[in-house]
Amino acid sequence: MSPYRNLEEYNLEITDEIKEKFSSVIDEIGEDKNREGLLKTPERAAKAMLFLTQGYKQDAEEILRGAMFKEDYDDMVIIKDIELYSLCEHHMLPFFGKAHIAYIPNGHIVGLSKIPRIVDVFARRLQVQERLTHDILECLNNTLKPKGVAVVIEASHMCMMMRGVQKQNSVTTTSGFRGQFEKIETRNEFLKLISSDLS
């Protein structure tokens, strides 16, 4: 047996309640919920929904504070191409893409893995891309208190691709800047670095 196991745990009472609701939805749309392929679908869907909305039970600021270290480094730190998956709050359909985040330390740095983790904390809620961008930006700015923070998110929205206008190739870009990134030269350096391939 592997020495490491990543286990998902679910509150059985809540899972059962959501499972019954998904079962009713399957019934209402005209499917046979007792068909072999659908027998376990309500439970799977309930667990998927709980997984995709686990961000409500997590504290992004606490995650950052648990991995802050004193350091004199005061140049730009960039983590780009952070994969993100979220649910649009208007249709509960997925949107997905990449986040590019930078900050300029002001006496403290943060463990690099924590920045993708806070992206997940806010993405795993019912969201709109604009608020997701703002939530990440403000969390980093308020917790790290850096000299500057920048966040750019590029995402495709299934509510635009599968239904409605059905534009499969559209990408939505949102951005937010605080502190030194409000200066055009710093912002341009960041935007140039996230758009270039340094490898």
Side-chain angles (χ1 to χ4, degrees):
M1 179 182 289
S2 169
Y4 171 79
R5 289 192 299 163
N6 186 11
L7 300 175
E8 292 179 12
E9 295 182 5
Y10 296 91
N11 180 310
L12 294 179
E13 185 178 343
I14 294 173
T15 304
D16 284 345
E17 288 176 10
I18 298 173
K19 180 176 77 172
E20 290 306 313
K21 291 176 173 63
F22 274 115
S23 182
S24 295
V25 168
I26 291 170
D27 204 30
E28 291 296 330
I29 63 173
E31 254 291 3
D32 177 8
K33 63 186 178 187
N34 296 312
R35 183 163 61 79
E36 182 183 11
L38 293 173
L39 283 175
K40 293 187 177 179
T41 297
E43 181 179 353
R44 291 188 193 106
K47 288 180 176 179
M49 184 57 66
L50 289 170
F51 178 84
L52 294 171
T53 57
Q54 66 184 283
Y56 290 114
K57 304 277 194 261
Q58 298 171 327
D59 186 332
E61 291 190 6
E62 184 179 320
I63 289 169
L64 288 177
R65 284 194 298 268
M68 288 174 60
F69 309 99
K70 288 184 179 180
E71 189 62 54
D72 290 335
Y73 187 85
D74 61 359
D75 288 310
M76 195 181 302
V77 178
I78 300 175
I79 302 98
K80 68 177 191 174
D81 297 332
I82 302 167
E83 294 179 9
L84 69 87
Y85 302 90
S86 191
L87 290 176
C88 161
E89 69 179 33
H90 299 143
H91 303 98
M92 293 178 71
L93 288 172
F95 67 94
F96 55 92
K98 293 180 179 179
H100 314 288
I101 297 172
Y103 74 101
I104 299 172
N106 186 21
H108 288 88
I109 59 171
V110 67
L112 294 178
S113 68
K114 303 308 177 190
I115 291 180
R117 279 196 64 193
I118 69 158
V119 171
D120 282 346
V121 168
F122 291 116
R124 288 176 179 166
R125 302 177 182 185
L126 300 182
Q127 276 287 11
V128 293
Q129 185 175 331
E130 296 88 341
R131 186 171 64 244
L132 177 59
T133 305
H134 179 266
D135 287 347
I136 296 167
L137 182 75
E138 291 304 315
C139 179
L140 286 165
N141 197 48
N142 294 338
T143 309
L144 296 181
K145 303 195 183 313
K147 294 177 182 177
V149 184
V151 177
V152 171
I153 293 178
E154 304 169 282
S156 299
H157 293 249
M158 297 305 283
C159 58
M160 288 179 64
M161 298 166 71
M162 289 180 68
R163 61 168 305 285
V165 294
Q166 297 180 51
K167 300 301 179 190
Q168 281 76 29
N169 298 311
S170 62
V171 175
T172 301
T173 303
T174 49
S175 62
F177 305 96
R178 294 289 183 273
Q180 289 191 13
F181 287 97
E182 294 176 277
K183 297 177 181 177
I184 192 68
E185 61 272 16
T186 310
R187 184 184 307 188
N188 284 346
E189 180 185 354
F190 165 68
L191 294 173
K192 181 179 180 182
L193 286 168
I194 66 171
S195 62
S196 65
D197 185 357
L198 301 177
S199 57

